[in-house]
Amino acid sequence: MARAATSTSRRSRLAALRSSLQRLGGRNHALDHLRRSDERLNTIVTGARGIIYISDLGSDGRWTYISPQIEEILGFTPAEWISDPSLWARQLHPDDRERVMAEEEDIQSYTPGQVYESEYRLLTRSGESRWVRDAAAIVATEEGDLVWSGVLTDITERRAIEEALRASEERFRAVIETASDAFVSVDTDGRIVEWNRKAEETFGWTREEAIGLPLVATVVPEASREPHLHAFARFVQTGGGPVVNRTLEVNAMRRDGIEFPVELSVWMTLSQGTQRVNAFVRDTSDRKALEAVTHQAFHDPLTDLANRALFTDRVATALARRGDSSTETVAVLLLDLDDFKTVNDSLGHAAGDELLVAVATRLRSCVRPGDTLARLAGDEFAILLDDLDDEGAAVAVAKRVGARLEAPFEIEEMEIAVRASIGISLGQTPDARPEDLMRDADVAMYEAKAGGKGGFQVFEPHMRDAVVKRMELKADLRHALERGELHVHYQPYVKLEDESIAGAEALLRWEHAERGLIPPLDFIPLAEEMGLIVPIGRWVLRAACAQAVDWGRRFPELGPLTLSVNVSARQLQDRGFVGEVAEILAEHGLSPERVVLELTESSLVEDPDQAVRRLEKLRELGIRLAIDDFGTGYSSLGYLQRYPIEILKVHRAFVAELGRHPDEPALAKAILQLAHHLGMQTIAEGVEEAVQVDALRALGCGYAQGYHFSRPLAAHEFAALLGTRAVERPGMAPEDVALRRA
């Protein structure tokens, strides 16, 4: 059988191997992987017991593919075998060369698609003789060329046993006892007649115990015994049929009843008129366990889709296969389920997991068998599309995904509508990298979300600029605290009755070394996202407490001023937060009543039960709590009664129109009346004009802050302001200045 085409392309080789494995009993999951690349091919065929090859028709052709087993069996590397077209012929055993070469030259007698077998000897690099069974078929490449595609199986041990049987019982025993696999031989009634030392180790029966026992009752699991008896009878009647010389995978049973996977090769012999069925059996438990562990390492346990590690590797392989001159397109689609958090929060994580599994099932129906579908994390999925003509094919898949997700999912007897925002990136340039494609798809996905839920967006280069700036800002923020770029400014709030300073809100500022002042709205969300808000918030609280102590010492005539510090949802969720607050207060010797922690409405609904417990512990310390920007969040009146809130801060949006119209805005009035009814103090934010001050006084608001009174000030500027007020208002009683509950 011939030795491999000189001009078959990569795809032709893969097509030939695919065809060969189909005819020679290859596994379906191996066929899927063969599509991916020559680099993956070696990994896939490593578990095979034979040498897989592709060759040209004729005895003088070159080999274009030979699997790594060539080195284990014959001692030559694949590169050596392929680079020397005459090597195969030279390694034929002298006693077999004439016969085998004659078979090679008789090309006209072979029918394409039919499997032909031949047994002969090849010499290894060291000169040792090895018997091989050459099973091959003539197949067509995608270009229409005919090539041999087959498998060389090492049958040296089998031939040695057959020869030993013909020679003598003593030699036969010596051969099978040195075999690396369990050897089992039975008569035509299915009773064991031979059993080597490896069989004793594998199955737990000694040779003396096993001889004469029915094989079916000794090593065949109970559930498989009836099918085994039928198959054995058919095997004996037909002389073996297609099962002979093939590697089979079945389950076997040890003496203690434990089942385990095995590979076995079966053949028949006739010695002195007695027919025997023989088998080599190899325990594959370790290999199967390794395969299972490997599968777990590279697949998502919930959906069984590829995970991020495997997906990234597949993207790298697809890009490497393109080459510099390829016109094919590689596309990465990144999908994020819109509003998935709502499902988790409302129905629970079990329902969320059920939904993710159902989504994965639908996504499978949107891609080709060779495409890679992955779950990267949470509700984020990814699709790798290989060998595309242009971006239109990727867009078509995105549309198909959107259409397939339109039908509601039934989860816990509820219909749940799901939409996905999809980002598409294309690998069309020679220098494209996996991380580039995945990052660009991520950028495009967020562009799709910004444009409306349930849509898709193809990445464009200009989108990357914003991402690069964001990444640079995140990198700088990570070191901003240690570089001394973060500062705390203080904006006073006053008692509206006489506009005396009652306290101040601590406001975080970032003075970037190169970019100047970074707006809080640009970096606070980043700090939240990066998990830096907890250590930064701790630093702000410590700095504010230190200032409060310093000002109290320097300006005792102003009384105990109150310091307000903002607290994020992530800080509130941190289990060590309450203890840290208590520690900082004790460290500075600051009375808890002088500290107000400001919370947003959204932070209270992240985990309501947890929030209640944390806030109650803070109140037990003596800390006072305020709701910041009231009226712009969830605005549930229930939580005002549920949580131990003492102070309500009215958002600037409700303050802006005060004093400009004869009828005061109804919302501002309602909020202030609500706070008064609940016994809460109120602070109006964003006060910029005197008319707003008058209107707030008329509505019964107790305190206010805003540019009308003072902009946020650096610590030394705020100290100067306090110094001025101390001179203006000496001897003021502390109870007239401090913010307290009505």
Side-chain angles (χ1 to χ4, degrees):
M1 276 145 271
R3 307 301 144 224
T6 59
S7 61
T8 47
S9 66
R10 171 182 58 80
R11 287 187 178 181
S12 298
R13 294 202 306 274
L14 295 178
L17 278 172
R18 188 181 305 116
S19 178
S20 174
L21 287 175
Q22 287 170 331
R23 289 176 172 82
L24 302 175
R27 303 188 189 107
N28 290 334
H29 73 266
L31 301 181
D32 292 336
H33 286 292
L34 283 173
R35 299 183 62 262
R36 301 198 178 281
S37 69
D38 289 339
E39 293 176 4
R40 288 212 172 265
L41 186 58
N42 286 339
T43 301
I44 296 165
V45 301
T46 296
R49 300 181 69 177
I51 304 168
I52 302 174
Y53 70 85
I54 305 174
S55 65
D56 211 359
L57 301 184
S59 60
D60 57 350
R62 291 179 55 223
W63 303 63
T64 56
Y65 180 78
I66 191 81
S67 67
Q69 284 82 353
I70 184 74
E71 188 165 6
E72 177 185 348
I73 295 173
L74 296 177
F76 296 94
T77 67
E80 290 173 324
W81 199 264
I82 291 172
S83 64
D84 187 350
S86 63
L87 183 56
W88 170 76
R90 292 202 311 273
Q91 297 305 118
L92 285 170
H93 192 282
D95 294 344
D96 298 332
R97 183 176 291 116
E98 184 177 351
R99 170 178 60 85
V100 176
M101 296 299 285
E103 292 176 356
E104 287 294 329
E105 296 302 330
D106 193 19
I107 298 297
Q108 301 302 321
S109 66
Y110 296 117
T111 302
Q114 183 173 339
V115 177
Y116 294 92
E117 296 185 4
S118 177
E119 294 185 2
Y120 53 86
R121 284 164 291 182
L122 286 171
L123 300 177
T124 66
R125 179 191 286 276
S126 62
E128 180 187 357
S129 176
R130 306 291 295 179
W131 276 98
V132 297
R133 179 175 60 87
D134 192 344
I138 296 175
V139 298
T141 68
E142 292 185 0
E143 288 79 7
D145 299 325
L146 294 178
V147 296
W148 281 110
S149 186
V151 179
L152 297 172
T153 305
D154 185 353
I155 58 170
T156 304
E157 287 186 349
R158 196 203 78 193
R159 292 292 294 236
I161 289 173
E162 291 173 348
E163 290 175 7
L165 282 171
R166 288 191 293 268
S168 69
E169 178 69 18
E170 182 179 349
R171 184 180 172 193
F172 166 72
R173 291 292 322 152
V175 171
I176 67 168
E177 287 304 331
T178 58
S180 58
D181 291 334
F183 175 78
V184 180
S185 183
V186 300
D187 60 22
T188 53
D189 292 329
R191 292 189 174 274
I192 299 170
V193 296
E194 195 48 75
W195 188 265
N196 70 352
R197 186 176 296 108
K198 190 65 176 179
E200 291 181 334
E201 296 175 10
T202 302
F203 296 105
W205 298 85
T206 66
R207 182 174 185 274
E208 290 72 19
E209 291 171 329
I211 298 297
L213 293 177
L215 181 72
V216 66
T218 309
V219 302
V220 179
E222 187 172 353
S224 304
R225 289 175 182 174
E226 186 173 346
H228 167 84
L229 290 173
H230 289 300
F232 183 80
R234 187 167 58 252
F235 184 90
V236 172
Q237 290 172 1
T238 61
V243 174
V244 171
N245 294 322
R246 283 186 56 192
T247 300
L248 307 176
E249 288 193 355
V250 297
N251 274 355
M253 181 181 69
R254 294 190 179 92
R255 184 173 187 168
D256 57 10
I258 295 176
E259 295 186 26
F260 62 103
V262 297
E263 282 183 350
L264 67 154
S265 300
V266 184
W267 74 98
M268 298 189 70
T269 57
L270 186 64
S271 178
Q272 300 178 351
T274 302
Q275 196 173 32
R276 295 283 185 264
V277 179
N278 312 292
F280 275 128
V281 185
R282 175 175 295 181
D283 184 349
T284 59
S285 300
D286 290 343
R287 197 189 77 197
K288 293 291 185 182
L290 179 60
E291 289 175 356
V293 170
T294 302
H295 184 85
Q296 292 172 7
F298 292 102
H299 289 79
D300 170 51
L302 178 64
T303 62
D304 202 39
L305 299 179
N307 63 12
R308 183 180 292 274
L310 180 57
F311 185 80
T312 303
D313 182 61
R314 293 273 176 85
V315 175
T317 301
L319 291 174
R321 187 167 57 247
R322 283 187 70 252
D324 293 349
S325 59
S326 175
T327 59
E328 298 165 359
T329 296
V330 174
V332 169
L333 279 65
L334 204 61
L335 298 76
D336 187 80
L337 303 184
D338 298 323
D339 300 326
F340 176 74
K341 188 176 183 298
T342 304
V343 177
N344 261 352
D345 290 346
S346 57
L347 299 182
H349 289 286
D353 287 349
E354 185 180 346
L355 177 59
L356 290 172
V357 172
V359 168
T361 300
R362 287 200 193 172
L363 291 178
R364 285 188 179 96
S365 69
C366 298
V367 297
R368 302 167 299 180
D371 297 328
T372 298
L373 176 62
R375 178 182 175 224
L376 304 185
D379 61 337
E380 190 175 57
F381 294 84
I383 299 173
L384 169 63
L385 305 175
D386 198 1
D387 295 341
L388 302 181
D389 294 329
D390 53 39
E391 74 173 56
V395 169
V397 173
K399 291 181 178 178
R400 187 157 62 244
V401 168
R404 289 287 293 124
L405 294 179
E406 281 184 358
F409 293 84
E410 187 170 332
I411 305 294
E412 295 188 353
E413 300 182 352
M414 293 182 60
E415 286 193 348
I416 298 176
V418 172
R419 291 185 297 178
S421 295
I422 305 174
I424 305 172
S425 64
L426 306 172
Q428 297 172 308
T429 60
D431 59 347
R433 301 178 302 170
E435 56 267 33
D436 295 334
L437 260 68
M438 296 183 70
R439 179 197 61 203
D440 293 348
D442 190 57
V443 172
M445 182 189 71
Y446 280 102
E447 286 285 329
K449 278 189 177 293
K453 296 176 181 178
F456 66 88
Q457 178 68 54
V458 179
F459 174 80
E460 296 178 8
H462 70 81
M463 299 177 186
R464 192 177 295 153
D465 295 339
V467 175
V468 170
K469 290 180 180 178
R470 180 180 175 86
M471 290 176 63
E472 291 175 347
L473 204 60
K474 289 173 72 173
D476 291 342
L477 181 58
R478 195 175 299 279
H479 303 287
L481 191 57
E482 64 189 57
R483 291 172 181 166
E485 294 179 353
L486 296 182
H487 308 282
V488 180
H489 285 199
Y490 301 88
Q491 185 174 35
Y493 42 82
V494 303
K495 187 176 182 181
L496 283 175
E497 182 180 349
D498 57 7
E499 297 190 16
S500 60
I501 296 178
E505 179 180 1
L507 300 168
L508 183 61
R509 294 292 183 262
W510 182 12
E511 188 72 33
H512 192 281
E514 297 175 358
R515 302 186 186 187
L517 193 64
I518 306 292
L521 288 178
D522 288 352
F523 74 87
I524 294 296
L526 289 183
E528 291 268 9
E529 180 183 322
M530 297 166 66
L532 294 177
I533 197 66
V534 172
I536 289 176
R538 186 185 308 123
W539 176 81
V540 171
L541 180 60
R542 183 171 275 111
C545 288
Q547 287 296 342
V549 171
D550 178 63
W551 293 331
R553 177 181 55 79
R554 294 170 60 187
F555 311 108
E557 60 272 30
L558 293 180
L561 300 179
T562 302
L563 252 296
S564 295
V565 180
N566 292 282
V567 174
S568 71
R570 185 162 296 193
Q571 285 177 274
L572 193 60
Q573 293 165 6
D574 184 55
R575 64 179 61 188
F577 178 65
V578 176
E580 287 178 352
V581 171
E583 180 183 331
I584 291 172
L585 291 176
E587 175 186 326
H588 292 88
L590 185 65
S591 173
E593 289 77 13
R594 294 182 59 189
V595 177
V596 175
L597 296 183
E598 298 189 7
L599 309 129
T600 61
E601 296 175 73
S602 58
S603 69
L604 298 179
V605 296
E606 286 283 332
D607 186 346
D609 294 335
Q610 183 80 289
V612 167
R613 290 193 293 271
R614 296 268 160 81
L615 296 182
E616 287 177 346
K617 288 181 179 179
L618 289 169
R619 282 295 301 126
E620 290 173 5
L621 290 178
I623 298 288
R624 284 179 289 168
L625 304 171
I627 289 291
D628 194 17
D629 294 339
F630 181 79
T632 60
Y634 290 84
S635 299
S636 169
L637 299 181
Y639 73 70
L640 288 180
Q641 293 180 311
R642 182 181 184 188
Y643 299 120
I645 305 298
E646 295 186 55
I647 302 165
L648 189 152
K649 299 190 74 173
V650 184
H651 191 265
R652 65 181 63 247
F654 304 111
V655 175
E657 298 301 317
L658 288 174
R660 300 187 180 211
H661 303 287
D663 298 325
E664 301 298 346
L667 279 176
K669 184 176 182 179
I671 291 171
L672 292 168
Q673 288 178 342
L674 173 66
H676 180 73
H677 178 73
L678 294 174
M680 294 181 176
Q681 279 289 354
T682 53
I683 303 177
E685 299 179 287
V687 178
E688 298 183 356
E689 301 176 9
V691 290
Q692 295 169 343
V693 173
D694 295 336
L696 287 168
R697 284 181 181 141
L699 291 172
C701 183
Y703 299 85
Q705 72 180 95
Y707 273 60
H708 175 73
F709 306 107
S710 173
R711 61 179 175 81
L713 302 170
H716 69 278
E717 294 175 319
F718 193 84
L721 175 63
L722 292 180
T724 302
R725 291 298 182 96
V727 172
E728 294 174 352
R729 305 170 66 88
M732 176 170 289
E735 61 271 17
D736 292 333
V737 180
L739 181 65
R740 63 188 187 281
R741 185 163 186 156

